[in-house]
Amino acid sequence: MNTRDLVLIALFAAIVVVLGLIPPITLGFIPVPITAQSMGVMLAGCIIGARRAALSFLLFVLLVAIGLPVLSGGRGGLAIFAGPSGGFILGWAVAAYVTGLIAERAIRPGVSEGRQLIGFFLASVVGGILVLYAIGVPWLSFVTGTPLIAAAGGSLAFIPGDLVKAAIAALAARAVYAGYPLLPARA
Amino acid sequence: MLTSLYVEGRTWFHRAPVRAKLIALLALSIALFTTNSLLLLLPAFLLCGGLYFSLGLTLRQAFARVGFVFFTILVLAVVNLFLVPVPEVLALVLRLMALVLFAAAVTATTTIGAFMDEVTVLLGPIERLGLVRAADVSLALGLVLRFVPDIFARYQAIREAHRARGVPIRPLTIIGPLIILTLKDADTIAAAIDARGFRRQ
């Protein structure tokens, strides 16, 4: 890993912190507030690629663990990991890695803009939603004793919002790819 | 902007070594997950609560730090009431809350520096395998802390630019430029780090 990769990893973690400071925005047509921070996993994978995205989120999780209030709403500290959603926080790095793997394979120079958008969207959905929930939901079920089926059913309520986030992440990732491509570069 | 969740204080828990506190947290979580007995979980909850509230936080601060996690625990407990026998729900709530309170107590009494020393020790074996360098982790951490205020200022500048042109403020139109402008700095910063020989490559 060269110094540039190290800096990209740190800067992306810093961007995720800043996304947590942006007040949530409610879209007119859907009652879920869009917090920009939870898009971070999708954005990281799609923009800086699997390895750097995963390391960026490991760094972010380290910031949470050592007691910096970097999660949206000024939350942080070890209590977050002890709580029911600890699995989601720990799952971020894996989710970002999978998002990155798919994005790296789907997007090559010369791929049409529409295909890039679809690739980024699928990467965000598979990594940022499927993989993340596959880690977070069983963890939540184990920690809180809520039966797995009920926990999975309850999280369905968040899926529409997550799909909107995946769409926004895909559009943003495509804009960044057009303006400053980093995805295929070294890592 | 990024003030640590550490709270100044001179209690015995402040003076306890970080490693002991982290091992205690790990041991406590293992121990509490092996029991369902309210006779053990209730005292554990009260002790952890007592510890947390004796650290010198004001009541409001103390609740603000654990409030969100407690809220999720209670929501899930309400769901559980329909699916799981009541004594078990009680055990689950007490166990989780005890752990959250203890974890919050560790966070409140440990400085970032002390945590970082411990992280460096934990990274030792991984470093010997040649996977990660502890110095790189500290450097990356420092970079994040250094650049969050700058990136936030950039976010505000982009927002002002939107406002000045009458463009509605949407995440989509802000995130793209924010990320491009920030990541474009990476080369300059990397060059500056290498020029100073921080990483000895």
Side-chain angles (χ1 to χ4, degrees), chain B residues 46-200:
Chain B
L46 293 175
L47 279 174
C48 292
L51 171 70
Y52 178 58
F53 284 95
S54 70
L55 297 175
L57 288 142
T58 63
L59 270 186
R60 260 188 64 186
Q61 282 178 324
F63 278 111
R65 282 159 180 241
V66 292
F68 188 83
V69 185
F70 273 21
F71 175 74
T72 4
I73 295 176
L74 290 175
V75 168
L76 286 158
V78 172
V79 176
N80 276 349
L81 279 179
F82 296 96
L83 303 161
V84 183
V86 175
E88 226 172 284
V89 177
L90 221 77
L92 291 160
V93 170
L94 287 176
R95 176 195 297 138
L96 270 188
M97 287 191 167
L99 280 177
V100 167
L101 288 167
F102 193 84
V106 176
T107 299
T109 56
T110 311
T111 59
I112 304 240
F115 268 123
M116 279 316 292
D117 292 344
E118 213 48 38
V119 169
T120 310
V121 172
L122 288 172
L123 285 172
I126 307 174
E127 188 171 40
R128 277 192 286 282
L129 287 174
L131 291 174
V132 176
R133 283 193 292 171
D136 278 355
V137 178
S138 321
L139 177 60
L141 207 89
L143 282 174
V144 177
L145 298 182
R146 165 68 181 76
F147 283 103
V148 164
D150 286 353
I151 298 172
F152 189 67
R154 182 168 285 156
Y155 156 72
Q156 284 174 319
I158 298 171
R159 206 184 49 182
E160 291 309 311
H162 275 54
R163 213 168 262 157
R165 291 168 181 78
V167 180
I169 292 158
R170 295 227 173 83
L172 181 58
T173 54
I174 293 190
I175 289 172
L178 182 68
I179 292 176
I180 293 181
L181 286 171
T182 303
L183 296 185
K184 270 193 170 165
D185 286 346
D187 289 315
T188 324
I189 298 166
I193 290 172
D194 284 338
R196 285 166 178 79
F198 280 153
R199 293 182 76 231
R200 290 191 202 90

